[in-house]
Amino acid sequence: MKTSLKIGFLTPYSGIYPYYSQHLFTGWLLGMGLDPMRQNTIEFVQEYTHMGSLNACETAARKLLFFNRVDILSGLVSYKAVPGMVPLIESDKRPAFFFDMGEYVPYFPYLSPDVFYASQQVWQSQYALGRWAQGKWGAGGHILTAVYEAGYHLNNSFQQGVFNAGGSELQLTILPFDHNDPHRMELNSFFAQLAQAPPPYVHVILCGNMGTRFLEQWVQSGFHKKIPLLVFETMAYDDILEDIKNVNLEIYSAQLWMREDENKTNQLFVKSFENIAKQPANIYSLMGYEAGLVWRELLPYARTNDWDAVKQRLREGIINGPRGERNFYPSSGFALPAANILKITTSANKIHKIILDQGMGMRFDAKELEAIHQESVSGWQNPLLCI
């Protein structure tokens, strides 16, 4: 029987969350009921994948599987990079358990029985927010995004939510990309459009410090609190808003998890992580914790190399985690997440949240979403936030 398990972790670079892997590992171990500081049951072996391209992931996976001889292949991986690794995984007969933020609506021309997915499903919060916005403010909203974010399914998912609620009109502005200054954000022409024809709301999809810079300029633009501002889920995370909580801000967002949720499982996770890490729980620690809950049950089988039993249980298993039911195999349906529609304000260096509504999820294989796969063909391979 194995005394420890080696988990190979494909690790791309993220300038927005540089310590995401450490947070995820800590959450994973806590979910398994292990002390991250003293345990010797799990060994994480990291392999750098740069920006997470298919070629980088395939090269790193080959090294982890055939040189490091890891028991489980994991990592932060885009759906676009998975197909190239499937032959390697299936030839090794061991499971792959990948994480992603959910920047793409899942699509599987071939669904490997050996590959499992722990997804944040942010496309679901986008869908729920669009559906709510149409019901709240009606047609004609204006989406602002940048080239990077526009390469995923984020604006498309919001659009489908609008359409599902009976809307048919949306405006879209993609900020021009400057190769000499990739972080340049010229908003004058966008603000001029709003002044000429004010929409019922604006929805912004930006990442990292471009998002916080936009919020600062929005407050100064003259449109703040006159045109409702809806922001993409990651723009409203506490650790992002922390940088601008001195600004008198009012925004709306949809989120699939709230640190403040008072259910017992969530508070156990939050307190356990924060006692160990000495910093607030975040989305990566949560995804790791959810993974730990299922791998805690799988550990006896993995220790005896019974990979068929491990994979069978992953295909069928459902855990009841900090935010309710989660499962990890697409054909089992992926448990539909509940998105909280929030009004968020900041003042006196504090963040205030009010839950206004609960958004509806949608099955990833719903026919209404087929258009997204046909219309969005950027081919971005790096996972969201890995820039």
Side-chain angles (χ1 to χ4, degrees):
M1 178 182 291
K2 293 177 182 292
T3 56
S4 65
L5 287 183
K6 291 172 69 174
I7 300 178
F9 199 86
L10 304 171
T11 311
Y13 168 77
S14 173
I16 300 171
Y17 283 96
Y19 302 108
Y20 73 87
S21 60
Q22 289 89 340
H23 295 161
L24 193 150
F25 297 161
T26 300
W28 194 328
L29 294 172
L30 289 171
M32 293 185 71
L34 302 172
D35 182 342
M37 307 302 292
R38 295 180 175 84
Q39 68 87 33
N40 56 11
T41 302
I42 302 295
E43 177 188 355
F44 291 103
V45 183
Q46 294 192 74
E47 192 67 27
Y48 182 48
T49 58
H50 304 274
M51 294 295 179
S53 70
L54 190 155
N55 287 338
C57 287
E58 186 177 351
T59 300
R62 192 180 296 277
K63 180 176 182 297
L64 288 169
L65 290 170
F66 304 127
F67 178 75
N68 298 104
R69 300 305 302 170
V70 298
D71 297 299
I72 301 153
L73 184 65
S74 187
L76 191 63
V77 176
S78 166
Y79 288 128
K80 299 291 184 181
V82 171
M85 294 185 286
V86 167
L88 300 176
I89 294 162
E90 293 188 343
S91 70
D92 202 50
K93 309 294 185 187
R94 300 180 188 219
F97 190 91
F98 294 134
F99 296 85
D100 68 89
M101 285 297 294
E103 60 270 22
Y104 286 113
V105 177
Y107 175 66
F108 304 100
Y110 167 69
L111 182 59
S112 172
D114 298 344
V115 182
F116 305 89
Y117 303 87
S119 176
Q120 173 57 12
Q121 300 186 79
V122 292
W123 71 268
Q124 290 273 22
S125 62
Q126 282 293 94
Y127 173 83
L129 188 62
R131 197 173 187 279
W132 179 79
Q134 172 64 29
K136 176 73 173 177
W137 288 296
H142 197 138
I143 299 176
L144 174 75
T145 187
V147 171
Y148 170 71
E149 291 81 2
Y152 299 112
H153 291 164
L154 306 174
N155 56 297
N156 310 76
S157 298
F158 182 89
Q159 180 186 55
Q160 286 300 317
V162 169
F163 292 169
N164 185 268
S168 59
E169 298 176 26
L170 271 177
Q171 301 175 73
L172 174 65
T173 294
I174 298 177
L175 294 171
F177 181 75
D178 186 339
H179 286 276
N180 297 320
D181 185 6
H183 299 290
R184 183 181 179 188
M185 187 170 60
E186 175 53 61
L187 295 172
N188 288 340
S189 60
F190 172 66
F191 287 151
Q193 288 182 65
L194 299 187
Q196 187 174 8
Y201 62 87
V202 167
H203 176 43
V204 180
I205 310 169
L206 295 169
C207 291
N209 97 331
M210 282 190 76
T212 52
R213 282 164 52 210
F214 172 86
L215 292 175
E216 291 171 338
Q217 293 188 45
W218 178 260
V219 169
Q220 300 166 8
S221 69
F223 300 110
H224 184 226
K225 297 185 181 179
K226 294 180 181 177
I227 299 176
L229 180 65
L230 286 63
V231 303
F232 171 49
E233 174 171 324
T234 69
M235 287 178 68
Y237 286 164
D238 287 356
D239 44 12
I240 301 297
L241 292 179
E242 191 73 22
D243 294 335
I244 55 167
K245 66 181 182 181
N246 61 311
V247 176
N248 184 21
L249 187 65
E250 179 181 288
I251 56 177
Y252 300 85
S253 189
Q255 294 195 351
L256 300 171
W257 171 70
M258 292 178 64
R259 176 179 169 274
E260 301 86 350
D261 191 324
E262 294 182 355
N263 82 71
K264 290 182 180 179
T265 307
N266 186 58
Q267 285 306 304
L268 174 62
F269 153 65
V270 169
K271 290 174 182 176
S272 300
F273 178 83
E274 294 182 356
N275 285 340
I276 289 287
K278 307 303 180 187
Q279 54 189 285
N282 63 23
I283 202 64
Y284 291 105
S285 59
L286 170 70
M287 288 198 290
Y289 189 82
E290 291 171 335
L293 291 177
V294 70
W295 280 97
R296 184 176 192 169
E297 300 172 6
L298 300 172
L299 186 58
Y301 306 99
R303 275 181 155 162
T304 59
N305 289 330
D306 190 350
W307 302 116
D308 287 338
V310 167
K311 289 182 283 189
Q312 185 62 33
R313 281 162 174 76
L314 279 172
R315 291 182 206 118
E316 300 171 349
I318 297 174
I319 59 111
N320 192 8
R323 52 177 161 179
E325 289 188 348
R326 301 281 284 172
N327 55 338
F328 306 97
Y329 194 60
S331 67
S332 61
F334 281 143
L336 290 181
N340 288 312
I341 309 295
L342 303 176
K343 180 179 181 180
I344 302 171
T345 57
T346 61
S347 62
N349 282 322
K350 293 184 178 179
I351 302 169
H352 310 277
K353 303 175 187 178
I354 300 174
I355 299 176
L356 302 178
D357 203 348
Q358 194 137 69
M360 293 178 59
M362 193 175 203
R363 282 185 59 96
F364 76 91
D365 52 0
K367 288 186 177 180
E368 295 93 324
L369 301 178
E370 289 180 3
I372 290 179
H373 301 291
Q374 297 165 2
E375 296 170 5
S376 180
V377 290
S378 72
W380 276 192
Q381 295 176 357
N382 56 318
L384 183 70
L385 306 181
C386 292
I387 52 175

